[in-house]
Amino acid sequence: QVRLVESGGGLVQSGESLRLSCTASESIFGSSIAGWYHRPPGKEREWVASLFTTGDTGYTDAVKGRFTISKDNAKNTVYLQMNSLKPEDTALYYCNTVPVFHTWGQGTQVTVSS
């Protein structure tokens, strides 16, 4: 089965930036929609961003204009550039395909202090 490994999270202050990475053990993002998801404290996991094979992107309203999803097919890696972070962005962040097809990785924690 495909293994997903997220990294790049951390503790930052409001307004700062982070770049998350997610590397898959197999080449899955070249032919599938890549996605980032997050699970805020006490809430269910929810979709954050998508990157279609056409290069088109989609974002949940809360992150539009602040987050950018991208990928490097040669590295089997998807990225999430997170700018102008807000305390409400605090969550455990995961990647997967859209729709979800693979076993979830461990996620990477993003904590934004005010």
Side-chain angles (χ1 to χ4, degrees):
Q1 66 182 22
V2 174
R3 183 168 173 245
L4 298 169
V5 180
E6 298 90 353
S7 62
L11 172 61
V12 297
Q13 294 188 336
S14 183
E16 294 185 337
S17 299
L18 282 173
R19 187 195 193 203
L20 306 185
S21 300
C22 170
T23 299
S25 58
E26 298 178 22
S27 177
I28 59 171
F29 297 124
S31 58
S32 300
I33 303 170
W36 280 97
Y37 302 78
H38 73 187
R39 187 170 67 203
K43 297 184 179 180
E44 297 294 318
R45 184 158 35 206
E46 56 192 18
W47 169 79
V48 174
S50 294
L51 176 58
F52 297 84
T53 55
T54 57
D56 292 330
T57 56
Y59 301 93
T60 190
D61 286 346
V63 310
K64 282 180 181 176
R66 299 188 298 121
F67 290 10
T68 303
I69 185 172
S70 62
K71 66 179 179 179
D72 185 334
N73 287 337
K75 296 182 178 179
N76 299 334
T77 299
V78 178
Y79 304 98
L80 187 67
Q81 178 66 42
M82 311 166 70
N83 297 330
S84 302
L85 282 161
K86 304 176 180 180
E88 50 264 44
D89 295 320
T90 294
L92 195 57
Y93 283 75
Y94 305 84
C95 75
N96 212 304
T97 52
V98 180
V100 173
F101 189 76
H102 302 286
T103 301
W104 295 101
Q106 83 288 348
T108 186
Q109 178 67 41
V110 172
T111 303
V112 185
S113 63
S114 57

